[in-house]
Amino acid sequence: MKIITEPTPAVRWFSRPFVNSVQLQRLGAIALSSSIFVIDTASSIHIAIAVLYVAVILMSVNLFSRKGVIGVSLVCIGLTLTAFVIGHGFELYDGSFARLLVSLSAIGMTTVLALKNKSATDELQEQVRLLAQTHDAIIVRDMNHVITQWSPGAEALYGWTKSQAVGQDFRALLSPQLMTSWDQMMACLLETGHWEGEVIEHCRDGACVTVVSRCSLSLGANNQPKAILATHNDISDRKRAIEALQRSEAFLAGAQWLSQTGSIGLKIPSGEMYWSKEARRIFEFNADEPPTLTSILAKTHPDDIEIVKAAIKNAFQKAPHIKTEYRLSMADGRVKHLQMLAQLVKDGDEDSEYVGALMDVTDTRMAEEALHRSEVQLAHFSRVATLGELAASIAHEVNQPLAAVATNGTAGLRWLNRDTPDIGEVRSAIERMVSETHRASEVIRRIRAMARKTEPQKAALNLVEIIDESLALVGRELKRNKVELERGFDVEAVSVTGDRVQLQQVIINLLMNAMQAMANAKIKRRTLHLRLLHSDDGSVSFEIKDSGPGISSDRMPMLFMAFYTTKQEGMGMGLSICRSIIEAHGGRIWATSEPGEGAVFHLSLPISPWEQP
Ligand code: ADP
């Protein structure tokens, strides 16, 4: 059986001692057989010289294949018969014929035995050849641990050549460190005939390698242990890879714990799930509880069940990405906020797989809620403070209709008290009273709305209406401060989504700031230009330009910072609150100021989709 056509370096290594002498030995065999033939033919000695052909056959065993050996044997028989015929003719009944038969039988038996032996040797050599091809190191040592065989694999692994290693003490050369003791290893080997284990060994260059050593005991005569045959398989790279994997798993577990992020895997359509330790901890699943889609739903907050069901449905429809945020309702009443992001990593005909991350964002959501609450509270305080600043004009706003009610009431009574009451005049007076009462209650309604502390409510609003309402609240104050108002709106109505009171608060704040800036400046005309423009990007922008002192470029960066104020009684919270309100509405607020041109405050808000062309 020919297994390898191209000899490997290892095979060449094993066949090295034979190659050079083959030709020489063949020549030797030819010379020997020729000599035997000559002596056999020419000599008159009455012995079976042809028996010496046995030596030629034995030589040929190492030099030729099976067929070759048979061929050599036939040649030897031929030469024996030729020499007999030359020496004795065809006299078959004297002693020489008996010697011929002895010689022929010796040649025949030797050939049979040699061929048998050759089969065994070839088989052994084939095994050695196969062994030599393995990358494993094969080391044979005697019972005193002196190395007797050292394979090419061992040369490659440890760096010592065969000639350097053979004859050395195995333990002195490789300094093997076993996981068990040396005595335990030997006891096991002698008792069972085998031992297997991990060993750390030293190479010629000083490096350490970890190998799996498989030892088996070779028995000699009387079943006495003769040698130890060991194969050493280098697992250093595998070991390093496993260690690196374990390290990165530990890093990942640490990072997951720190960031409160777990990983999950989901197979579609089987619904089989994989969970990291942190993912289980977030869901508070027991270690022996295999998480399933059903158990996930069981832990989901009742109000968010539909969100989770929709995400599961998307997964079964093989959506490339799934992103969702929902809450868990724990057994003791705690609520956890989760963010989940999953990606389809394998999309097969038979099955698909998602890998995702889920993050416990409870702390963040709590902090956001607390921040939101304090923002709402702060905005409320700021509104109340603004109302305080407007108290005088508000009182006037309410007083005016009340005075009108009183005047019209008195007039109505007079018309009634006449000898002939004038019902028409009385009706007109009452109608005016009703209208003035409505005016007063409208002012009070606006003030109450501003003073009320409510959660922001998002609704579709007409921004023009909000600006007008804000102007109505500060209108009296503007008049008192002799501010001329110029209104340049390119739209009648524009829809934005937001909270009416909060948006009013922003506009009032900007109007009041502009008015205060102009009131404190020595300027001839106090003007306020209001502009409302549609932008191309689907937003509406509102500008308030005053004719005050403006804002120098060095103050500009601080303008929207909390507690930045240049006013003696100022809190410095107005513009900072304005910015958080506008940003919460998806808009932007900023200021510009050209020297000597006053200040311009711009705010832009997205137009509600249904209003867009
Ligand atoms: P406060 O009104 O309590 O000072 P704001 O946050 O509303 O707080 O305003 C911060 C500062 O911005 C004001 O103190 C003022 O210096 C400056 N500012 C605001 N609006 C104008 C304006 N129209 N012209 C000039 N400066 C202004």
Side-chain angles (χ1 to χ4, degrees), residues 509-510 513-514 516-517 546 549-551 555 559 561 564-567 569-576 599 601:
N509 210 303
L510 297 180
N513 272 353
Q516 285 165 357
D546 61 50
I551 303 158
R555 283 167 51 212
L559 215 56
M561 285 182 183
Y564 172 74
T565 180
T566 54
K567 299 172 195 164
E569 305 288 311
M571 273 204 307
M573 289 307 295
L575 289 178
S576 140
F601 280 81

Side-chain angles (χ1 to χ4, degrees), residues 67-224:
K67 279 183 183 162
V69 174
I70 294 168
V72 170
S73 174
L74 290 174
V75 169
C76 289
I77 291 170
L79 289 174
T80 307
L81 289 172
T82 311
F84 179 80
V85 171
I86 294 170
H88 309 282
F90 291 97
E91 288 171 30
L92 300 180
Y93 301 105
D94 68 351
S96 56
F97 184 69
R99 287 195 295 279
L100 172 68
L101 289 180
V102 169
S103 300
L104 289 177
S105 337
I107 293 169
M109 279 192 304
T110 306
T111 306
V112 170
L113 289 173
L115 286 174
K116 218 170 163 187
N117 190 36
K118 184 173 174 58
S119 300
T121 314
D122 284 353
E123 198 177 319
L124 199 68
Q125 275 194 353
E126 190 61 41
Q127 282 175 1
V128 170
R129 241 155 58 100
L130 286 174
L131 264 182
Q133 281 175 62
T134 68
H135 295 291
D136 291 355
I138 300 164
I139 303 169
V140 182
R141 55 188 200 261
D142 65 17
M143 296 314 289
N144 293 319
H145 305 292
V146 174
I147 298 167
T148 56
Q149 277 297 332
W150 186 259
S151 75
E155 285 188 336
L157 178 59
Y158 300 110
W160 286 285
T161 62
K162 184 180 179 186
S163 56
Q164 288 167 333
V166 169
Q168 300 271 353
D169 185 304
F170 172 79
R171 288 174 295 183
L173 192 68
L174 300 177
S175 317
Q177 291 164 31
L178 281 68
M179 302 298 148
T180 60
S181 75
W182 185 264
D183 291 342
Q184 274 176 325
M185 183 275 276
M186 283 307 290
C188 171
L189 191 59
L190 291 171
E191 197 181 312
T192 63
H194 297 281
W195 181 84
E196 183 176 327
E198 270 184 31
V199 186
I200 298 170
E201 292 168 334
H202 289 80
C203 301
R204 190 178 179 193
D205 61 5
C208 282
V209 282
T210 308
V211 298
V212 169
S213 172
R214 292 184 185 88
C215 298
S216 53
L217 205 58
S218 172
L219 301 177
N222 304 326
N223 274 351
Q224 284 304 305

Side-chain angles (χ1 to χ4, degrees), residues 50 58 166 179 263 275 289 292 334 410 413 429 445 451 498 513 521 587:
L58 289 175
V166 169
M179 302 298 148
S263 353
W275 289 65
E289 193 181 348
T292 58
R334 276 172 304 127
T410 317
L413 280 176
R445 185 192 62 76
N513 272 353

Side-chain angles (χ1 to χ4, degrees), residues 155-336:
E155 285 188 336
L157 178 59
Y158 300 110
W160 286 285
T161 62
K162 184 180 179 186
S163 56
Q164 288 167 333
V166 169
Q168 300 271 353
D169 185 304
F170 172 79
R171 288 174 295 183
L173 192 68
L174 300 177
S175 317
Q177 291 164 31
L178 281 68
M179 302 298 148
T180 60
S181 75
W182 185 264
D183 291 342
Q184 274 176 325
M185 183 275 276
M186 283 307 290
C188 171
L189 191 59
L190 291 171
E191 197 181 312
T192 63
H194 297 281
W195 181 84
E196 183 176 327
E198 270 184 31
V199 186
I200 298 170
E201 292 168 334
H202 289 80
C203 301
R204 190 178 179 193
D205 61 5
C208 282
V209 282
T210 308
V211 298
V212 169
S213 172
R214 292 184 185 88
C215 298
S216 53
L217 205 58
S218 172
L219 301 177
N222 304 326
N223 274 351
Q224 284 304 305
K226 196 177 77 178
I228 300 165
L229 172 74
T231 59
H232 288 196
N233 177 222
D234 182 7
I235 56 162
S236 309
D237 286 347
R238 204 189 319 157
K239 260 265 305 185
R240 273 194 288 274
I242 290 170
E243 275 166 19
L245 190 68
Q246 282 169 344
R247 210 174 304 124
S248 66
E249 270 179 4
F251 284 160
L252 185 67
Q256 291 209 342
W257 180 74
L258 272 177
S259 62
Q260 306 206 352
T261 308
S263 353
I264 48 165
L266 170 68
K267 283 198 168 184
I268 302 289
S270 67
E272 202 181 332
M273 300 194 87
Y274 303 94
W275 289 65
S276 76
K277 207 170 153 191
E278 187 59 22
R280 280 175 169 275
R281 200 197 59 72
I282 292 172
F283 268 78
E284 299 181 16
F285 281 126
N286 296 329
D288 53 348
E289 193 181 348
T292 58
L293 292 174
T294 318
S295 55
I296 288 178
L297 282 171
K299 295 232 176 199
T300 303
H301 191 284
D303 295 348
D304 293 351
I305 293 262
E306 289 311 317
I307 299 175
V308 178
K309 280 186 177 169
I312 295 173
K313 193 173 160 201
N314 280 343
F316 276 84
Q317 286 170 351
K318 298 190 191 173
H321 302 281
I322 297 170
K323 191 177 174 185
T324 181
E325 185 161 345
Y326 63 101
R327 289 163 297 169
L328 296 182
S329 183
M330 310 321 284
D332 56 6
R334 276 172 304 127
V335 171
K336 284 189 176 185

Side-chain angles (χ1 to χ4, degrees), residues 253-536:
Q256 291 209 342
W257 180 74
L258 272 177
S259 62
Q260 306 206 352
T261 308
S263 353
I264 48 165
L266 170 68
K267 283 198 168 184
I268 302 289
S270 67
E272 202 181 332
M273 300 194 87
Y274 303 94
W275 289 65
S276 76
K277 207 170 153 191
E278 187 59 22
R280 280 175 169 275
R281 200 197 59 72
I282 292 172
F283 268 78
E284 299 181 16
F285 281 126
N286 296 329
D288 53 348
E289 193 181 348
T292 58
L293 292 174
T294 318
S295 55
I296 288 178
L297 282 171
K299 295 232 176 199
T300 303
H301 191 284
D303 295 348
D304 293 351
I305 293 262
E306 289 311 317
I307 299 175
V308 178
K309 280 186 177 169
I312 295 173
K313 193 173 160 201
N314 280 343
F316 276 84
Q317 286 170 351
K318 298 190 191 173
H321 302 281
I322 297 170
K323 191 177 174 185
T324 181
E325 185 161 345
Y326 63 101
R327 289 163 297 169
L328 296 182
S329 183
M330 310 321 284
D332 56 6
R334 276 172 304 127
V335 171
K336 284 189 176 185
H337 294 253
L338 293 192
Q339 234 174 28
M340 205 269 295
L341 187 69
Q343 201 179 348
L344 188 65
V345 289
K346 185 182 150 202
D347 187 6
D349 292 338
E350 297 282 301
D351 60 343
S352 305
E353 193 170 343
Y354 279 93
V355 169
L358 52 91
M359 193 177 201
D360 183 349
V361 289
T362 311
D363 291 348
T364 316
R365 292 292 167 269
M366 295 289 205
E368 279 171 5
E369 275 169 25
L371 183 69
H372 173 73
R373 274 196 301 276
S374 46
E375 272 177 359
V376 169
Q377 222 155 15
L378 194 63
H380 175 245
F381 286 146
S382 167
R383 282 201 301 274
V384 173
T386 310
L387 286 177
E389 287 176 46
L390 290 172
S393 29
I394 290 167
H396 191 267
E397 281 288 297
V398 181
N399 238 357
Q400 257 193 343
L402 286 182
V405 168
T407 312
N408 281 301
T410 317
L413 280 176
R414 269 208 309 273
W415 291 115
L416 270 179
N417 288 339
R418 287 199 170 187
D419 294 342
T420 332
D422 190 332
I423 299 300
E425 288 291 352
V426 173
R427 183 180 293 116
S428 307
I430 291 173
E431 277 169 3
R432 280 194 296 276
M433 281 167 70
V434 171
S435 137
E436 290 298 332
T437 313
H438 279 152
R439 215 178 105 197
S441 65
E442 183 58 19
V443 175
I444 289 163
R445 185 192 62 76
R446 284 196 207 116
I447 293 161
R448 279 184 63 188
M450 287 286 280
R452 205 179 297 139
K453 190 176 136 193
T454 50
E455 269 293 305
Q457 325 237 309
K458 292 270 162 99
L461 306 167
N462 180 359
L463 187 60
V464 179
E465 212 174 273
I466 291 172
I467 297 169
D468 286 340
E469 280 183 2
S470 311
L471 284 170
L473 273 169
V474 293
R476 166 94 207 145
E477 203 65 15
L478 294 176
K479 240 185 244 162
R480 200 171 62 81
N481 280 286
K482 300 189 178 58
V483 176
E484 295 168 33
L485 200 67
E486 287 180 23
R487 202 167 172 275
F489 290 7
D490 74 349
V491 282
E492 291 290 306
V494 60
S495 166
V496 293
T497 303
D499 181 80
R500 174 180 291 272
V501 173
Q502 282 195 335
L503 291 178
Q504 259 181 30
Q505 177 177 359
V506 171
I507 294 164
I508 290 172
N509 210 303
L510 297 180
L511 291 171
M512 293 285 284
N513 272 353
M515 200 171 58
Q516 285 165 357
M518 291 189 291
N520 298 332
K522 288 183 187 122
I523 43 170
K524 283 191 198 137
R525 278 185 72 198
R526 294 173 184 167
T527 51
L528 259 186
H529 292 263
L530 307 186
R531 290 212 307 156
L532 188 66
L533 308 159
H534 261 114
S535 299
D536 295 340

